[in-house]
Amino acid sequence: MANNRRGAGVRRTDALTRASVRRGSGQRPPRPEAEEETEARGRLWFVTSPATWLLGILLAVVTVTFQDVLTASVKAILPLDRVPDRLSPQNAIDVVEVKDVKDIGYYVVRDGGGAEDGKLRADIASGGPWREGRKVVDAGDAHWMITVQGRASQQVRITDIVPVVEGGKCGKPLGGSLAHFPSQGVMDVIPLELEVDAPRPRLETYGKSGKEARPFFTGPEAKHITLNQNETEAFIVHATSETGYCRWRYRVHYEVGGSTAETTISGPGGKPFELTARLSDPSAYRKVYFPALACASSGSGPQDVWYEQTGPEYARAHSGDRVPRCPED
């Protein structure tokens, strides 16, 4: 009896399966046309109803808002270089401009820079761009304005700017001809200071006291420069050299998005910055150019007159403690 029950159960199961297959494989009777038209009108009303359009707009707004929130959250959590289609830390700073803003002081015109053709004095006196096309190097000091811009979506924090001198040290001062533009006022900008021929050159500032220069990026009063996206920052570096001829670039260390990186700042045209100390003996210069402001005149003539002397003549005129008389007096 038990065997018959099990056998009957198996048969009933097979029979139900075959019946289900047969019922599913049969053709259904056609639906009346009126019923199909009613269903089509119902679907059209659902698509064109104001409630449906309003629901679609709300879903689109919610989707966009969710995507924005998700993107902002990912940027806040992941480092910059791991966020898709973002700039890497190595490209987070752009050097917008490097400009020589020195307009007073001394310049050395290297041999072959045009001092031999007799036109240099006239070009300087004209007030035009006399340095263009000539091999001219700042002497004694230089003022460079450097403008940088943040490119990353996250804030960039410049932690140090280190001058890197070519060859590790400065060479001998340059000779040639000397041009002197005396000061007629005081600069209204407090620049960063750099003794480029020091054993360990670094950027310094006089701060509020104005008595002693202190490191800008290091030490107990360390500062830093921050750049937001598309924000620019300009600073002036006043470089000095008393003993040698120096060529250098700046290595910029910064932090962005939890990562550290560095970049290099060069002078115009990608060349190194240049600065030479003045020769201790001015008689070693080929020629020296200076205006009436740099000498004592007995009359009340124009102050825009420029003079030209040989190095030995200039050295003899400046051998005393008094301001030398102008050559033509």
Side-chain angles (χ1 to χ4, degrees):
M1 183 178 298
N3 291 337
N4 291 339
R5 284 199 297 269
R6 284 196 297 271
V10 172
R11 283 193 295 272
R12 282 198 300 270
T13 303
D14 292 342
L16 290 172
T17 302
R18 285 193 296 271
S20 300
V21 172
R22 283 195 299 271
R23 286 196 298 270
S25 61
Q27 295 183 354
R28 296 183 178 181
R31 299 173 61 185
E33 295 182 359
E35 183 179 348
E36 292 182 356
E37 293 178 0
T38 302
E39 184 176 348
R41 286 196 299 270
R43 287 197 299 267
L44 181 61
W45 176 86
F46 177 78
V47 172
T48 58
S49 66
T52 303
W53 282 98
L54 180 60
L55 179 60
I57 294 173
L58 290 176
L59 288 175
V61 172
V62 170
T63 302
V64 173
T65 304
F66 176 76
Q67 290 176 346
D68 292 342
V69 172
L70 180 61
T71 302
S73 301
V74 171
K75 291 179 181 179
I77 296 174
L78 293 179
L80 182 64
D81 58 349
R82 297 188 61 184
V83 177
D85 68 5
R86 293 289 94 188
L87 291 170
S88 68
Q90 296 297 332
N91 299 319
I93 292 180
D94 185 24
V95 181
V96 178
E97 184 181 37
V98 178
K99 184 178 181 181
D100 184 356
V101 294
K102 175 181 175 179
D103 57 1
I104 59 174
Y106 292 89
Y107 301 87
V108 166
V109 182
R110 306 178 71 167
D111 290 338
E116 300 84 3
D117 58 11
K119 298 180 180 180
L120 181 57
R121 176 183 172 185
D123 289 344
I124 294 176
S126 69
W130 65 275
R131 287 185 285 174
E132 291 185 2
R134 291 188 170 93
K135 300 176 182 178
V136 181
V137 180
D138 294 314
D141 71 339
H143 283 88
W144 291 93
M145 183 173 68
I146 302 173
T147 304
V148 294
Q149 183 181 46
R151 300 183 61 198
S153 59
Q154 297 178 343
Q155 187 180 77
V156 179
R157 183 174 181 266
I158 299 177
T159 57
D160 203 358
I161 300 178
V162 181
V164 181
V165 179
E166 286 194 345
K169 61 180 181 180
C170 301
K172 295 181 179 180
L174 296 178
S177 298
L178 187 69
H180 179 208
F181 290 74
S183 172
Q184 302 183 50
V186 180
M187 287 190 62
D188 57 357
V189 177
I190 300 177
L192 297 175
E193 299 290 336
L194 170 65
E195 293 183 20
V196 68
D197 55 349
R200 295 184 62 184
R202 59 186 179 183
L203 293 179
E204 299 179 322
T205 181
Y206 282 102
K208 296 180 180 179
S209 63
K211 297 180 180 179
E212 181 180 359
R214 298 181 179 181
F216 184 85
F217 290 102
T218 59
E221 299 181 6
K223 301 176 180 62
H224 59 265
I225 299 173
T226 57
L227 295 170
N228 296 318
Q229 189 175 27
N230 298 325
E231 181 183 10
T232 59
E233 183 72 32
F235 53 92
I236 293 179
V237 179
H238 176 220
T240 59
S241 177
E242 297 182 356
T243 60
Y245 167 58
C246 309
R247 292 163 55 89
W248 76 98
R249 290 181 169 86
Y250 293 103
R251 182 181 296 131
V252 182
H253 300 267
Y254 58 92
E255 300 174 351
V256 56
S259 301
T260 59
E262 63 182 47
T263 189
T264 301
I265 298 179
S266 302
K271 298 179 180 179
F273 295 92
E274 286 185 293
L275 177 62
T276 182
R278 291 165 52 195
L279 298 175
S280 58
D281 182 7
S283 64
Y285 289 111
R286 180 187 297 272
K287 294 179 180 180
V288 180
Y289 302 87
F290 56 93
L293 289 172
C295 57
S297 176
S298 58
S300 58
Q303 297 296 303
D304 57 353
V305 176
W306 278 77
Y307 302 100
E308 176 183 329
Q309 287 184 321
T310 64
E313 290 173 343
Y314 183 85
R316 286 194 298 270
H318 288 75
S319 59
D321 296 333
R322 295 182 179 181
V323 178
R325 298 185 64 83
C326 294
E328 295 181 355
D329 291 345

